[in-house]
Amino acid sequence: MAFACLFVPDFPVQALVRVEPELGSKPVAVMEGAAPFTKIFCVNAKARELGVETGMSKVQTDAFSGIEWRWRSDSQEKTAHAALLDCAWTMSPRVEEISDEAGEILLDAVVLDIAGCEKLFGSTEKIAADLKRAATEVGIDANVAIAGNPAAAVCAARGFSGTTVIADGEESSRIGTLPLASLCFPAEIAETLKLWGIYTCAQFAALPEVAVVERFGQEGRRLQLLVRGADPRPLLPKENPSEFEECMELDYPVDLLEPLLFISNRLVEQLCARLRMHVLAVGEIKVTLTLEGRAPGNKEQTVHIRTLRLPMPATEGKFLLKLLQLDLQRHPPDSPVVAVNISATPARGRKRQLGLFLPLCPEPERLEITLAQLENVFGEGRVGAPVLLDTHRPKAFAQKHFVLREMCLKERTGEQEARAALRIYRPPLPANVKLQDEKPMQIVCDGLSRRILAHAGPWRTKGDWWSETAWARDEWDVLMHSLRPKCQPNSEEGKKEETSLYRIYRDLRSRQWFVEGIYD
């Protein structure tokens, strides 16, 4: 058995650096707490080199210059933890979150079972390097350790930087070299061990088990097994996410579209990178903008929500950002934005078989951008595809968002049914019809008189009788000489009598006759 652990040092700082990459080369300190009790919660290595320490008050840290100050963001830490889980899922479906003694999930580390993965991804050293590379792709600098059990992997990832591979049976000796301060020991136990002169994991592991249990209880027993790398606890895997989310809280309100898109671009790229790790695409994207101020009588902040339902799954961040830009141009927020949250519903990537030399249909991404640009010009709901309504009313249709159908080439078996298409005249052609025994016998239309050779009908349709737009009519299918022949009369083919099948109807409210269309 083999287990790997990904641990993120200075996790609250790295959660902020993910969405602000320019902070990666600067000393950063994360603050929390309301004034005047504001204190430093976490700092990175460059800030520690300048002398900034965790727990300092804001007044104490004012003497330091060149440090980037940021407030702690719980939402960004949760999204960074979700990205860390995605990195682990690229190697194994069995991934577990780590909890402390109180049962709360620790966001800075995850454990995964990599037993059998060597046949797919190579040696354990290569797996460790691939996990570190995957974390780097989502903006996280993580320590990776591989050991024979989860506890040993966690201790090694917390204590050793970079990638570490511990051979089977060497867990106790390798972890014994680590200082106790590098592991997450409870403060009370750590202080007691310090008074005893215990500073390394090897010294703590050498203590008698009975004495440790008498003084620290079962928690001491668990910690001793932890530093020995012999914890037999099984792995409890976590289920894959059903939604991917990225967010960013802004230091200052943003009221212009260009800086808002600059921020959204980072979040969209992070989402696409995480989805590609799962071999998934974006099926639907939801943007929630938290606005400055609150509505009267409402304690919660006002939000501006936009949902983009894509016609086909997409993985390109530039395409999603362009659609978001066009949508925000049509529906801009009413107030400056103080936080941006973008969530994506995953979908399987599209599978299409293109032609040998030319695509069978337009590229879906470019077509969707073109439709969005047209909608910006002509207005909301004026661009799309017509859909027939469930009614007998003529010419009744609705317009919905245009969706490009997948091109599926399948062999058709059996005989195909012959079908006729009705080409409708818009508007219908006015006509005069002579009846005999309540049946049409002759028609005059477009200044031409034609005798009806055969007819079928009538079919009476009516609807909307309860409203002012009530309608009713009788329809006939008639065969007669063509009103607009395809061949010229002086040609040899034109000398033959060309006949066509027409649809005519009588409006029962106006008592008028019309030629609605010709059957093709």
Side-chain angles (χ1 to χ4, degrees):
M1 297 181 65
F3 298 87
C5 175
L6 286 89
F7 171 72
V8 184
D10 307 326
F11 180 76
V13 176
Q14 292 208 40
L16 297 171
V17 174
R18 279 188 69 241
V19 292
E20 297 184 63
E22 62 274 7
L23 297 178
S25 58
K26 301 177 181 180
V28 182
V30 178
M31 301 179 296
E32 73 168 354
F37 304 104
T38 302
K39 292 186 177 182
I40 302 301
F41 179 76
C42 183
V43 296
N44 61 357
K46 294 184 178 180
R48 281 192 292 268
E49 292 175 359
L50 296 178
V52 183
E53 297 180 358
T54 302
M56 284 186 174
S57 65
K58 186 64 172 63
V59 177
Q60 291 175 313
T61 55
D62 288 339
F64 299 92
S65 60
I67 297 179
E68 296 289 338
W69 308 98
R70 293 292 186 273
W71 289 99
R72 186 185 182 189
S73 174
D74 293 336
S75 58
Q76 290 179 217
E77 290 181 14
K78 291 179 180 179
T79 55
H81 176 68
L84 193 64
L85 287 170
D86 294 332
C87 297
W89 271 314
T90 59
M91 287 293 169
S92 172
R94 291 174 51 81
V95 179
E96 182 190 40
E97 296 176 320
I98 301 176
S99 303
D100 58 10
E101 60 276 3
E104 296 184 2
I105 296 176
L106 301 177
L107 302 180
D108 56 359
V110 295
V111 182
L112 62 150
D113 183 359
I114 60 172
C117 293
E118 295 87 351
K119 298 180 181 179
L120 295 175
F121 304 109
S123 63
T124 53
E125 290 78 6
K126 183 179 182 301
I127 291 176
D130 290 343
L131 286 171
K132 186 172 181 61
R133 176 184 51 79
T136 304
E137 291 180 357
V138 294
I140 297 175
D141 183 15
N143 297 338
V144 182
I146 296 179
N149 61 77
V154 173
C155 291
R158 292 184 181 276
F160 301 107
S161 60
T163 59
T164 305
V165 178
I166 300 178
D168 191 17
E170 299 181 2
E171 291 86 0
S172 180
S173 59
R174 290 291 302 275
I175 297 175
T177 61
L178 295 175
L180 292 177
S182 63
L183 306 181
C184 290
F185 270 54
E188 183 179 353
I189 296 179
E191 184 66 23
T192 303
L193 293 176
K194 184 178 180 181
L195 294 175
W196 292 354
I198 305 297
Y199 298 99
T200 65
C201 293
Q203 293 173 342
F204 181 53
L207 294 177
E209 297 180 4
V210 177
V212 171
V213 174
E214 288 177 350
R215 289 163 176 79
F216 300 119
Q218 292 301 320
E219 179 64 17
R221 174 61 177 166
R222 185 187 69 83
L223 293 174
Q224 194 173 43
L225 290 175
L226 187 69
V227 298
R228 290 177 178 176
D231 189 0
R233 181 183 58 86
L235 196 71
L236 302 178
K238 178 180 175 62
E239 295 182 358
N240 288 351
S242 59
E243 189 175 75
F244 295 79
E245 183 178 354
E246 290 288 340
C247 63
M248 182 175 181
E249 298 176 359
L250 310 182
D251 295 332
Y252 303 97
V254 174
D255 56 353
L256 298 179
L257 181 59
E258 184 175 354
L260 182 60
L261 291 175
F262 180 77
I263 297 169
S264 302
N265 182 41
R266 295 178 177 177
L267 304 182
V268 170
E269 291 294 341
Q270 292 285 0
L271 275 177
C272 293
R274 291 173 55 190
L275 284 166
R276 284 193 290 268
M277 291 181 176
H278 293 264
V279 197
L280 294 173
V282 179
E284 178 180 306
I285 189 167
K286 180 180 179 181
V287 181
T288 303
L289 305 177
T290 304
L291 306 182
E292 185 181 24
R294 293 178 173 83
N298 189 2
K299 296 182 180 181
E300 298 182 356
Q301 287 185 299
T302 307
V303 294
H304 181 76
I305 301 176
R306 297 299 305 164
T307 302
L308 303 179
R309 295 177 176 86
L310 306 182
M312 300 185 71
T315 57
E316 294 296 330
K318 293 182 179 179
F319 163 65
L320 297 173
L321 185 66
K322 185 63 177 179
L323 286 183
L324 178 60
Q325 175 187 358
L326 295 172
D327 186 80
L328 290 178
Q329 287 177 353
R330 294 194 303 270
H331 308 279
D334 299 330
S335 304
V337 178
V338 296
V340 181
N341 183 291
I342 301 179
S343 61
T345 302
R348 293 291 179 186
R350 66 177 184 269
K351 299 178 182 178
R352 303 180 58 200
Q353 179 64 51
L354 301 180
L356 183 60
F357 301 104
L358 295 174
L360 296 179
C361 52
E363 187 177 349
E365 288 81 2
R366 292 186 178 181
L367 177 61
E368 186 66 16
I369 291 177
T370 301
L371 294 174
Q373 291 172 339
L374 290 174
E375 196 166 11
N376 275 4
V377 175
F378 296 105
E380 187 83 16
R382 296 193 175 186
V383 178
V387 179
L388 293 177
L389 297 179
D390 187 13
T391 177
H392 290 288
R393 183 187 182 116
K395 306 175 188 177
F397 69 95
Q399 191 164 288
K400 71 172 186 179
H401 188 76
F402 179 78
V403 177
L404 188 64
R405 293 183 179 179
E406 289 285 347
M407 302 300 294
C408 299
L409 300 178
K410 297 182 180 179
E411 296 183 1
R412 298 182 179 180
T413 58
E415 298 182 358
Q416 300 182 10
E417 297 181 359
R419 297 183 179 181
L422 177 63
R423 298 182 180 273
I424 296 178
Y425 297 134
R426 298 184 184 277
L429 306 179
N432 292 325
V433 178
K434 294 182 179 180
L435 302 178
Q436 183 177 356
D437 297 333
E438 297 297 328
K439 298 178 181 179
M441 299 302 297
Q442 189 173 5
I443 184 171
V444 179
C445 181
D446 276 352
L448 302 175
S449 178
R450 294 288 188 266
R451 185 171 63 88
I452 295 176
L453 304 178
H455 57 75
W459 298 281
R460 176 163 293 182
T461 56
K462 59 182 178 179
D464 296 347
W465 50 267
W466 60 89
S467 64
E468 297 180 356
T469 59
W471 56 274
R473 69 182 195 173
D474 287 343
E475 298 176 353
W476 297 78
D477 287 343
V478 297
L479 179 67
M480 61 184 180
H481 298 306
S482 299
L483 295 173
R484 300 170 182 177
K486 299 178 182 179
C487 302
Q488 298 296 329
N490 53 2
S491 63
E492 294 183 0
E493 295 181 359
K495 294 180 181 179
K496 301 179 182 179
E497 295 183 353
E498 181 180 346
T499 58
S500 301
L501 185 63
Y502 289 87
R503 165 76 62 82
I504 65 174
Y505 70 91
R506 182 186 185 188
D507 191 334
L508 299 181
R509 296 178 64 85
S510 62
R511 303 296 180 180
Q512 297 292 325
W513 284 90
F514 297 91
V515 178
E516 185 175 20
I518 181 173
Y519 286 98
D520 189 358

